[in-house]
Amino acid sequence: GDSGQLNQWDQGFSPCWPSAMTISASWDVDLMARWSVELAREFGVPNRGQLGPGINLARYAWNGRLGEYMAGEDPFFGARMIEAMVRAYRTVDRPAIQVVKHFIPNTIETGRAEMTEVVDERTLFEVYYPPFAAAVDAGVSAVMCSYNAVNCTTGMCKAGAAYACANDDVLNKHLKQVMGFKGIVMSD
């Protein structure tokens, strides 16, 4: 119930939303769109934003953030769900900023600031990027980069190991040039 405690962040609602992974588990893009519109209405006042959705793939069961990620284990499935979510979110009047995260890859929570994800370019584009590319195509406002370092080893990658938020290969070459992202990138 209402505690009577209000501040600048409280719009007078206290819904208990199901997690993104719960909605994704329905395999129902229409339900995802409906859920997203309701979230957009909840967050949708000027100068507000949603630090989500989390759209990384579930590659390792011990990743402590899987409950907030909605893509599951399948890049195609994740891309369809995130596309439905972002498009629906943007249909409300004056939608808040929506930030997809964590770009890229963010596979393990423990020690993430000290680890380097070594991955080839084909795996990035075929496995990790499809949900992010779908979000970009659907018009997402912002992308949050991950804590870990990334070493993309093939293709147009030349930067070597660098933290995701400062990695020329994944941010400039892949996200901005190949995927065509025009929004803002923010750090976690």
Side-chain angles (χ1 to χ4, degrees):
D2 186 4
S3 66
Q5 301 289 323
L6 296 176
N7 61 33
Q8 76 264 22
W9 307 113
D10 192 338
Q11 294 185 31
F13 303 105
S14 296
C16 184
W17 296 103
S19 71
M21 183 64 88
T22 301
I23 301 300
S24 291
S26 72
W27 292 73
D28 185 339
V29 292
D30 293 329
L31 179 62
M32 177 60 76
R34 188 171 139 213
W35 179 78
S36 183
V37 165
E38 294 303 322
L39 276 181
R41 288 181 180 142
E42 178 75 12
F43 286 105
V45 296
N47 304 315
R48 296 273 315 265
Q50 177 192 8
L51 295 178
I55 61 174
N56 284 93
L57 292 178
R59 298 282 287 177
Y60 300 102
W62 55 90
N63 182 345
R65 298 187 104 165
L66 289 183
E68 73 179 89
Y69 291 152
M70 60 185 289
E73 299 175 283
D74 186 302
F76 177 80
F77 165 76
R80 297 298 61 82
M81 294 305 267
I82 191 61
E83 177 184 28
M85 183 184 200
V86 172
R87 286 194 194 285
Y89 193 95
R90 300 190 62 74
T91 63
V92 302
D93 186 38
R94 296 180 6 207
I97 292 174
Q98 192 176 32
V99 183
V100 293
K101 60 184 184 176
H102 294 97
F103 194 80
I104 193 83
N106 189 52
T107 56
I108 296 177
E109 183 71 10
T110 304
R112 64 187 172 160
E114 293 84 34
M115 75 177 329
T116 300
E117 299 267 6
V118 179
V119 62
D120 64 280
E121 191 173 64
R122 180 177 177 181
T123 300
L124 285 171
F125 277 96
E126 291 181 5
V127 177
Y128 291 103
Y129 285 164
F132 287 94
V136 169
D137 291 343
V140 76
S141 311
V143 172
M144 181 185 292
C145 47
S146 57
Y147 279 110
N148 54 280
V150 181
N151 186 2
C152 176
T153 59
T154 60
M156 67 179 85
C157 297
K158 305 289 184 237
Y163 283 101
C165 288
N167 192 302
D168 182 58
D169 292 332
V170 298
L171 290 180
N172 292 319
K173 294 175 186 169
H174 296 170
L175 181 64
K176 293 180 180 176
Q177 292 173 12
V178 175
M179 290 184 228
F181 181 63
K182 304 283 189 251
I184 61 170
V185 175
M186 64 185 290
S187 63
D188 193 354

